[in-house]
Amino acid sequence: MRNSWSSEIWRLTGLLLLGLLVGFIVGQPAWILLVVTILYLAWHLRNLYRLDQWLQGKRRGIPETTDGAWANVYYHLYRMQQRNRRRKKRLATMVNRFRESTNALPDAAVVLGAAGNIENWNKTAESLLRLKNPQDMHQPITNLIRHPGFIKYLNQEDFSKVLRLQSTYDENVFLSLQIVPYGNKQHLLMVRNITHLHRLEQMRQDFIANVSHELRTPLTVIAGYLETMLDDDDDWVVNNSDSMKSMLQQAQRMQNIVSDLLLLSRLETEEKSQQRQEVDVPAILEMIISDAKVLSQGKHEINLEYDRDLYLHANREEITSAFSNLIYNAVKYTPDGGEINVRWYEDNDGVHFRIQDDGPGIASQHLPRLTERFYRIDAGRSRASGGTGLGLAIVKHVLNRHEASLKITSKLGTGSTFICTFLPGLAIRREIA
Ligand code: ADP
């Protein structure tokens, strides 16, 4: 195509030379040169006009071929236009495919702008959240999901957790929602129908609660009869006292498991806010420590340090159960002669219950799973000490229900520390008369 530019230069030179020749012949070289230049300019102007028309889209199809440099310009412009058309087509196909795949997703996906306005959604969102086009486009998402829990979730910074909600359109439908931040302050709201999972969970909870409840009475009867029989000085009983004592011990262990399971299922199902009151934690700790001393039979040094007028806005039974589990564990797992320190205090981070022992400690690989139900490091030892394997699961549930956290630090051979931290807002200051 470089040729077209050189032919253009040759064309101009030729025209000017011809004009000069004719000009000399007619005796008016300047005029003739002017006329030639004007004609040459006019030709360019005409081509420029055609190009402008074509660029504005007033002329369709391939522009008529012209000679010289214009042919070059037209050729490149046309190639560029064709390339752009192909690219646009490819992009449109990709967008369509992407839309088709998001529409095929079994989960609802809603694109939210920086201000939380709905920018786009897929087909599942229409059925799950009842989003309608065009009414809901650009509406704040909080207009459509009016749940207070969702508004709180949306306004926080950390979206790592999933939010579970009951659908506002159908109370039999349960949803799990998660926000995924991306790009520049954009958010993707993913919503999944978890009704099936919720039902299974409910069935599991009901099953455990029912089985535990059904087992309670027979176990009470068995343990009761065994106790009465053991009090008897009948020959048969005296000869079989070892096996009967073992039966009673196992029946009592089962009773403990059943009562812990019942407590756990109550913690799982009951409303969080129920029965919160001003709890005199120092008095509760005094009571648990005195029981722990009975359990220890003087084999441990148990120290209690507390802020006497620091009360907690909490559920008394639940807090008692959590703290006693932690204190009894320390007594159970710390060898004779060990030291156990319990502290109840407040600082800038909140209100803390801390229990420290110099027992065997817990290896780091067990720490993340310690609060799971029936998770025991040494099942034999736990059973021998009357453990159910449910104590720390109860602690975790109680703390969750109080928006509190449990921190466990431990090193093999040096002891363990359990710290429960409650939000500063739950602290109550009571002046003791
Ligand atoms: P258990 O009824 O077996 O005590 P928990 O849920 O209370 O069940 O505790 C789970 C496991 O954690 C226990 O089996 C024990 O191995 C370990 N553990 C709990 N507290 C301590 C502690 N203070 N020191 C060492 N190990 C502990």
Side-chain angles (χ1 to χ4, degrees):
M1 280 293 151
R2 202 181 291 152
N3 281 353
S4 63
W5 280 102
S6 51
S7 73
E8 187 64 41
I9 289 165
W10 280 119
R11 186 205 313 257
L12 180 62
T13 322
L15 274 172
L16 288 176
L17 284 176
L18 191 73
L20 213 60
L21 189 73
V22 175
F24 277 120
I25 291 170
V26 294
Q28 294 285 354
W31 280 108
I32 297 295
L33 268 184
L34 185 70
V35 170
V36 168
T37 315
I38 288 172
L39 283 172
Y40 185 70
L41 265 178
W43 177 72
H44 271 305
L45 215 61
R46 179 174 162 266
N47 276 324
L48 208 59
Y49 174 76
R50 275 167 55 184
L51 176 65
D52 182 44
Q53 296 282 303
W54 184 68
L55 286 176
Q56 285 185 41
K58 291 182 185 164
R59 277 161 182 258
R60 302 212 148 260
I62 310 164
E64 303 107 85
T65 39
T66 11
D67 322 326
W70 286 104
N72 209 8
V73 170
Y74 274 126
Y75 173 75
H76 285 298
L77 274 174
Y78 182 67
R79 287 272 310 264
M80 210 157 90
Q81 199 193 36
Q82 292 294 95
R83 255 200 321 268
N84 280 345
R85 254 186 216 149
R86 277 200 298 271
R87 208 173 286 161
K88 221 161 114 181
K89 217 168 164 177
R90 259 205 320 268
L91 218 65
T93 321
M94 261 166 70
V95 169
N96 273 344
R97 254 190 229 156
F98 179 70
R99 198 166 282 162
E100 274 166 22
S101 59
T102 50
N103 277 342
L105 277 178
D107 298 344
V110 183
V111 177
L112 302 176
N117 288 4
I118 302 170
E119 288 190 350
N120 213 336
W121 62 77
N122 67 351
K123 264 230 149 55
T124 319
E126 290 174 9
S127 56
L128 221 53
L129 301 172
R130 308 268 165 101
L131 289 179
K132 283 184 199 79
N133 202 5
Q135 301 96 298
D136 297 331
M137 196 57 95
H138 308 302
Q139 288 281 331
I141 184 74
T142 42
N143 278 7
L144 291 130
I145 308 175
R146 289 171 176 272
H147 207 284
F150 177 70
I151 296 167
K152 202 171 146 202
Y153 178 72
L154 195 66
N155 291 332
Q156 61 168 14
E157 299 280 300
D158 176 24
F159 298 117
S160 56
K161 283 188 185 148
V162 172
L163 178 74
R164 284 178 170 211
L165 289 182
Q166 195 168 10
S167 165
T168 33
Y169 301 105
D170 184 349
E171 56 182 26
N172 294 317
V173 173
F174 288 84
L175 307 171
S176 98
L177 296 91
Q178 185 165 27
I179 294 217
V180 188
Y182 73 98
N184 185 20
K185 291 189 177 165
Q186 299 272 109
H187 289 107
L188 186 68
L189 169 68
M190 298 296 295
V191 185
R192 178 173 294 179
N193 187 341
I194 51 154
T195 312
H196 186 58
L197 213 74
H198 182 83
R199 268 199 210 122
L200 277 177
E201 185 117 312
Q202 201 117 42
M203 267 163 65
R204 179 187 66 82
Q205 284 174 5
D206 290 349
F207 176 75
I208 292 175
N210 290 339
V211 167
S212 312
H213 193 77
E214 291 301 324
L215 285 176
R216 204 155 61 161
T217 317
L219 281 171
T220 314
V221 174
I222 293 170
Y225 275 123
L226 282 169
E227 263 175 64
T228 327
M229 284 160 83
L230 272 167
D231 284 343
D232 223 336
D233 48 9
D234 185 281
D235 278 354
W236 187 87
V237 174
V238 174
N239 289 339
N240 294 285
S241 76
D242 280 353
S243 39
M244 287 182 69
K245 271 184 194 151
S246 171
M247 279 159 73
L248 179 62
Q249 210 178 15
Q250 294 304 322
Q252 282 165 344
R253 208 171 77 77
M254 278 166 77
Q255 277 182 311
N256 289 343
I257 294 178
V258 163
S259 80
D260 274 2
L261 279 175
L262 278 170
L263 176 61
L264 261 177
S265 62
R266 229 186 55 225
L267 290 173
E268 270 183 339
T269 47
E270 263 176 24
E271 275 291 317
K272 254 188 209 174
S273 53
Q274 263 186 9
Q275 296 163 353
R276 284 219 183 161
Q277 65 219 105
E278 204 173 280
V279 179
D280 182 356
V281 176
I284 289 177
L285 290 180
E286 277 173 1
M287 187 191 75
I288 304 172
I289 293 289
S290 91
D291 287 350
K293 282 183 176 159
V294 174
L295 186 71
S296 153
Q297 296 172 334
K299 289 174 189 153
H300 304 93
E301 182 188 328
I302 307 177
N303 305 307
L304 172 64
E305 186 190 326
Y306 53 55
D307 185 342
R308 187 61 191 91
D309 47 347
L310 178 59
Y311 284 36
L312 191 71
H313 183 67
N315 180 302
R316 185 190 304 276
E317 281 72 43
E318 291 179 16
I319 289 295
T320 309
S321 167
F323 291 175
S324 59
N325 264 309
L326 289 172
I327 295 173
Y328 297 157
N329 268 357
V331 175
K332 273 189 316 194
Y333 297 106
T334 306
D336 296 354
E339 186 181 325
I340 296 163
N341 294 307
V342 179
R343 213 180 142 203
W344 173 243
Y345 61 103
E346 185 184 19
D347 64 14
N348 289 340
D349 298 332
V351 189
H352 313 276
F353 165 83
R354 192 184 71 187
I355 175 153
Q356 220 170 4
D357 65 56
D358 57 1
I362 302 157
S364 59
Q365 75 265 25
H366 296 298
L367 293 179
R369 301 195 53 194
L370 218 54
T371 54
E372 285 175 21
R373 284 157 201 231
F374 297 113
Y375 189 84
R376 286 178 280 210
I377 299 164
D378 181 346
R381 211 170 147 202
S382 158
R383 272 189 211 113
S385 58
T388 59
L390 295 168
L392 290 181
I394 292 175
V395 173
K396 193 183 156 210
H397 263 85
V398 168
L399 295 183
N400 276 351
R401 285 164 66 83
H402 287 82
E403 291 89 36
S405 64
L406 174 67
K407 191 173 160 213
I408 311 172
T409 44
S410 187
K411 227 174 166 189
L412 269 184
T414 50
S416 318
T417 305
F418 293 77
I419 305 176
C420 310
T421 300
F422 297 85
L423 295 175
L426 294 186
I428 301 171
R429 284 270 154 212
R430 279 291 298 266
E431 292 304 328
I432 306 296

